[in-house]
């Protein structure tokens, strides 16, 4: 792709945002939850696991464990068993339990609303904190960069970075802050439905005219 001046990039991004908004007006977080604690736990479980599988597990899990204290006090082996099918279950169970202990001891059992406090919880990095802040509290503190957001940002020529935190910084500089949470939903939805990692459907893509298709070799 020839070098694009910032003004042209920002005009192109505006059109990409408009097209994705029209294509996915209902875009939202696909992890089932009814409160910030459930979203925090579901996001920890979603590492290396599909949202669909997490939702299957949490539909039972959240009936049994209803508060941070419930998770903190659960026998570890019991919690491990309940989340086993999401993979890396020993680590995830340890992190959920340790994070929930901190919620009980330091935050009155509630999920805090700042990036600093959230990322001090076990198993919670910027990505998880951004998911919780953006979707449970409506706070746009950053952009969620998961595998879809990273791949699409690169293919769309919005970043050359590979490290999620560097990608996030570049997206934060490009995308209006009020759209940070939505922007990652749009890219995740488009990544799942059109811009597959191995076989992107460029021929039918709603933003094909705006996409330099960087690094794409195999298309449907
Ligand atoms: S044109 Fe192809 S590479 Fe670009 S966003 Fe669409 S599907 Fe992905």
């Amino acid at each position: 792709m020839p070098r694009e001046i910032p003004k042209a990039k920002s005009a192109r991004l505006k059109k990409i945002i408009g097209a994705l908004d029209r294509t996915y007006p209902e875009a939202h977080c696909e992890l089932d939850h009814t409160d910030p604690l459930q979203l925090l736990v579901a996001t920890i479980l979603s590492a290396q696991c599909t949202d669909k599988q997490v939702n299957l597990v949490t539909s039972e899990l959240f009936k049994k464990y209803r508060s941070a204290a419930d998770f903190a006090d659960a026998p570890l082996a019991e919690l491990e068993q309940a989340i086993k099918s999401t993979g890396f279950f020993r680590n995830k169970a340890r992190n959920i339990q340790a994070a929930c202990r901190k919620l009980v001891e330091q935050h009155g059992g509630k999920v805090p609303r700042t990036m600093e406090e959230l990322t001090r919880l076990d198993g919670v990095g910027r990505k998880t904190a951004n998911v919780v802040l953006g979707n449970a509290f409506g706070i746009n503190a950053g952009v969620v960069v998961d595998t879809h957001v990273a791949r699409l940002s690169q293919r769309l020529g919005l970043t050359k970075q590979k490290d999620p935190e560097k990608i996030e910084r570049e997206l934060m500089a490009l995308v209006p802050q009020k759209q940070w949470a939505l922007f990652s939903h749009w890219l995740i939805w488009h990544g799942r439905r059109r811009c597959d990692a191995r076989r992107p459907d460029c021929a039918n893509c709603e933003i094909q005219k705006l996409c330099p298709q960087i690094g794409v070799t195999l298309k449907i």
Side-chain angles (χ1 to χ4, degrees), residues 162-189:
K162 299 237 159 35
D163 173 67
E165 291 207 9
K166 288 184 185 161
I167 294 174
E168 185 188 355
R169 271 203 294 278
E170 295 205 349
L171 292 179
M172 285 165 75
L174 283 169
V175 178
Q177 184 170 6
K178 64 176 192 300
Q179 291 177 314
W180 285 351
L182 259 178
F183 186 72
S184 59
H185 291 322
W186 287 326
L187 291 195
I188 292 167
W189 279 48

Side-chain angles (χ1 to χ4, degrees), residues 13-148:
L13 177 64
K14 213 168 165 186
K15 289 185 190 160
I16 291 172
I17 287 175
L20 290 174
D21 189 15
R22 284 191 295 281
T23 308
Y24 307 112
E26 76 286 21
H28 60 269
C29 174
E30 294 186 276
L31 290 169
D32 295 340
H33 64 281
T34 58
D35 60 37
L37 177 68
Q38 289 190 355
L39 184 56
L40 176 66
V41 171
T43 311
I44 293 174
L45 292 177
S46 72
Q48 311 288 322
C49 183
T50 63
D51 287 1
K52 206 171 157 194
Q53 184 59 31
V54 172
N55 289 340
L56 270 178
V57 166
T58 56
S59 67
E60 291 305 313
L61 188 75
F62 294 154
K63 284 182 200 156
K64 193 164 178 191
Y65 306 100
R66 294 174 181 273
S67 66
D70 289 346
F71 282 106
D73 297 340
L76 187 59
E78 194 182 290
L79 187 55
E80 284 177 355
Q81 202 53 38
I83 64 166
K84 197 166 185 177
S85 64
T86 67
F88 303 98
F89 62 97
R90 289 191 207 286
N91 227 358
K92 289 178 183 176
R94 254 199 319 273
N95 282 334
I96 289 169
Q97 196 151 67
C100 284
R101 280 203 189 109
K102 278 190 191 152
L103 294 185
V104 172
E105 288 160 11
Q106 299 171 15
H107 301 282
K110 300 267 181 264
V111 176
R113 292 169 172 250
T114 66
M115 177 64 72
E116 292 69 26
E117 290 169 306
L118 277 165
T119 50
R120 265 185 237 127
L121 300 173
D122 305 69
V124 178
R126 272 196 72 89
K127 189 180 93 177
T128 299
N130 275 327
V131 171
V132 173
L133 289 170
N135 297 287
F137 298 126
I139 297 170
N140 283 301
V143 179
V144 173
V145 178
D146 74 346
T147 174
H148 298 290

Side-chain angles (χ1 to χ4, degrees), residues 152 155-156 190 194-196 199-214 216 219:
L152 268 81
R155 286 179 173 174
L156 286 164
H190 198 58
R194 189 72 80 199
C195 191
D196 181 75
R199 295 175 68 82
D201 184 9
C202 297
N204 294 304
C205 177
E206 294 78 358
I207 50 174
Q208 194 240 344
K209 287 199 175 82
L210 300 162
C211 178
Q213 300 172 18
I214 291 174
V216 174
K219 300 170 201 169

